[in-house]
Amino acid sequence: MGQDQTKQQIEKGLQLYQSNQTEKALQVWMKVLEKSSDLVGRFRVLGCLVTAHSEMGRYKEMLKFAVVQIDTARELEDADFLLESYLNLARSNEKLCEFHKTISYCKTCLGLPGTRAAAQLGGQVSLSMGNAFLGLSLFQKALESFEKALRYAHNNDDTMLECRVCCSLGSFYAQVKESMKIALQHGDRPLQALCLLCFADIHRSRGDLETAFPRYDSAMSIMTEIGNRLGQVQVLLGVAKCWVARKALDKALDAIERAQDLAEEVGNKLSQLKLHCLSEGICRSKGLQRELRAHVVRFHECVEETELYCGLCGESIGEKNSRLQALPCSHIFHLRCLQNNGTRSCPNCRRSPMKPGFV
């Protein structure tokens, strides 16, 4: 079966599928898979089969076709096809509740070189990763992923993605609410504070700042009561982001200053990095050049103190939005540096073989 006939048969299958003749559509697509020699056509029909089996709830079959699609994408040697196939692999594992695998494949998607499809599929990758984090009850990481997905949806006017993210946020809210109920029953103050912080972050991500502020206040009260200074830093960071959203930049800087004092007391460099990054944006908006330079300098000092450097090029990690690759030995490098280096083992320890797609 040649290229033109493959396209015709894929289209025929789509027409059948859209008219609810699902089994007939599957038969047409399976026939294409058996007889077509066109790799691009085979890739497309595998995508149709993955989607169809997902919507039918046949998740093991979905995974089987996603694995075949990955092999086809590798034969094509095209980054766009690889991104799409890894996303399908991540979504298949998500449906089967293999959440650690889902996160790994999503990170592989994010680690691929810049592609044309990245703008379209990046939001779906973040959504799938958020759902996996939610499945593992890692609420803060789940919310961060959902916020990224929501930004993709808004930037690309993708209303369908926005609806899917909102559905996931609904599930997220329900799980946090259930956790809050358990925390109240058992008098677990630390869990109550975490749930209140999650509630506040959810409302902030939705733009509901009037509801977010009281939740942050309640979380701060408990964090102070139990002496959780790092939790207080997280609360103040959320409050600062709320003030930024309201364009009240002076109030945002006040919250950041309080958070910085606490972060320095605790010695948490990652929190300090986040706070300096947020401060840089605010100072740039207000035209405060001297303060901006001070935050840039302090940011670099934190990077040096945490030793966040690429082992190949020596540049700091986190200063720019560069894609990273973690090897099985746990050494971390810029993805571009590993690709240019050409070695099959870790440049640092030379012991661990580099597995393609491992992040």
Side-chain angles (χ1 to χ4, degrees):
M1 187 182 293
Q3 189 176 21
D4 291 339
Q5 193 175 358
T6 298
K7 285 182 179 179
Q8 290 172 2
Q9 290 301 303
I10 292 174
E11 187 60 35
K12 179 182 176 181
L14 286 171
Q15 290 173 358
L16 288 167
Y17 189 74
Q18 289 164 2
S19 60
N20 295 321
Q21 299 181 64
T22 306
E23 293 300 330
K24 287 184 178 180
L26 292 177
Q27 290 172 9
V28 170
W29 288 331
M30 287 301 296
K31 199 170 184 181
V32 173
L33 205 57
E34 290 169 10
K35 296 188 176 182
S36 179
S37 58
D38 175 31
L39 280 178
V40 174
R42 286 173 61 83
F43 182 88
R44 292 302 175 206
V45 82
L46 283 163
C48 293
L49 288 165
V50 167
T51 301
H53 283 95
S54 173
E55 293 179 355
M56 295 166 68
R58 299 177 183 174
Y59 301 135
K60 289 184 178 178
E61 292 295 306
M62 177 188 180
L63 177 61
K64 182 182 77 174
F65 289 116
V67 170
V68 178
Q69 192 185 41
I70 274 264
D71 294 335
T72 306
R74 285 173 177 155
E75 284 186 66
L76 287 164
E77 297 182 343
D78 184 283
D80 284 321
F81 289 141
L82 270 176
L83 174 59
E84 185 178 335
S85 55
Y86 269 117
L87 173 58
N88 282 332
L89 199 54
R91 290 168 59 198
S92 302
N93 279 281
E94 177 198 330
K95 297 294 185 184
L96 291 167
C97 298
E98 295 284 355
F99 298 126
H100 288 292
K101 290 183 180 178
T102 302
I103 292 166
S104 178
Y105 288 126
C106 285
K107 287 182 177 179
T108 300
C109 290
L110 297 174
L112 290 171
T115 65
R116 297 184 301 278
Q120 295 176 317
L121 300 181
Q124 295 181 42
V125 173
S126 295
L127 174 60
S128 188
M129 186 180 288
N131 289 334
F133 281 132
L134 184 57
L136 295 170
S137 297
L138 299 172
F139 295 138
Q140 286 298 131
K141 290 185 176 181
L143 186 58
E144 287 174 9
S145 295
F146 291 146
E147 286 181 337
K148 287 179 184 177
L150 210 52
R151 282 198 295 273
Y152 272 105
H154 292 159
N155 292 338
N156 295 284
D157 294 323
D158 190 336
T159 52
M160 183 60 69
L161 175 60
E162 185 176 357
C163 287
R164 290 175 61 200
V165 174
C166 289
C167 287
S168 292
L169 281 170
S171 299
F172 177 92
Y173 193 89
Q175 284 201 32
V176 177
K177 191 174 181 180
E178 186 63 28
S179 297
M180 186 62 170
K181 183 179 178 181
I182 294 169
L184 289 170
Q185 287 173 349
H186 292 82
D188 189 333
R189 300 292 278 168
L191 182 56
Q192 290 174 37
L194 176 61
C195 290
L196 285 166
L197 176 58
C198 287
F199 281 136
D201 285 340
I202 292 170
H203 289 294
R204 176 176 55 78
S205 69
R206 291 174 172 175
D208 183 7
L209 304 183
E210 292 299 329
T211 307
F213 276 119
R215 296 294 173 90
Y216 281 128
D217 288 342
S218 298
M220 190 63 167
S221 178
I222 298 176
M223 294 290 190
T224 304
E225 175 193 327
I226 63 178
N228 186 342
R229 288 180 292 173
L230 187 55
Q232 293 174 50
V233 172
Q234 292 174 323
V235 171
L236 288 166
L237 179 59
V239 170
K241 289 179 178 179
C242 284
W243 287 126
V244 169
R246 281 193 168 180
K247 309 297 183 185
L249 301 184
D250 289 333
K251 290 183 178 181
L253 286 173
D254 287 341
I256 290 171
E257 186 177 349
R258 291 170 59 199
Q260 279 287 12
D261 290 341
L262 286 165
E264 288 174 8
E265 285 178 18
V266 175
N268 188 282
K269 302 299 181 186
L270 181 58
S271 295
Q272 292 178 46
L273 281 169
K274 291 180 180 178
L275 291 163
H276 285 302
C277 280
L278 186 57
S279 298
E280 283 181 36
I282 295 171
C283 291
R284 190 172 285 109
S285 298
K286 289 174 65 68
L288 303 173
Q289 295 302 318
R290 188 180 66 180
E291 290 82 354
L292 173 61
R293 285 193 294 272
H295 284 296
V296 170
V297 168
R298 189 69 191 100
F299 177 91
H300 284 288
E301 289 175 354
C302 287
V303 170
E304 290 176 7
E305 290 165 8
T306 49
E307 297 181 350
L308 294 175
Y309 288 101
C310 172
L312 282 170
C313 69
E315 291 182 5
S316 60
I317 288 173
E319 181 180 359
K320 299 177 181 178
N321 188 22
S322 302
R323 299 183 187 278
L324 306 177
Q325 186 89 353
L327 303 186
C329 57
S330 298
H331 287 127
I332 301 173
F333 305 90
H334 287 123
L335 177 64
R336 65 173 186 275
C337 295
L338 284 174
Q339 291 171 335
N340 295 334
N341 190 53
T343 182
R344 299 302 300 166
S345 61
C346 173
N348 274 13
C349 63
R350 302 290 178 184
R351 292 195 303 268
S352 302
M354 289 167 57
K355 299 176 184 179
F358 185 93
V359 177

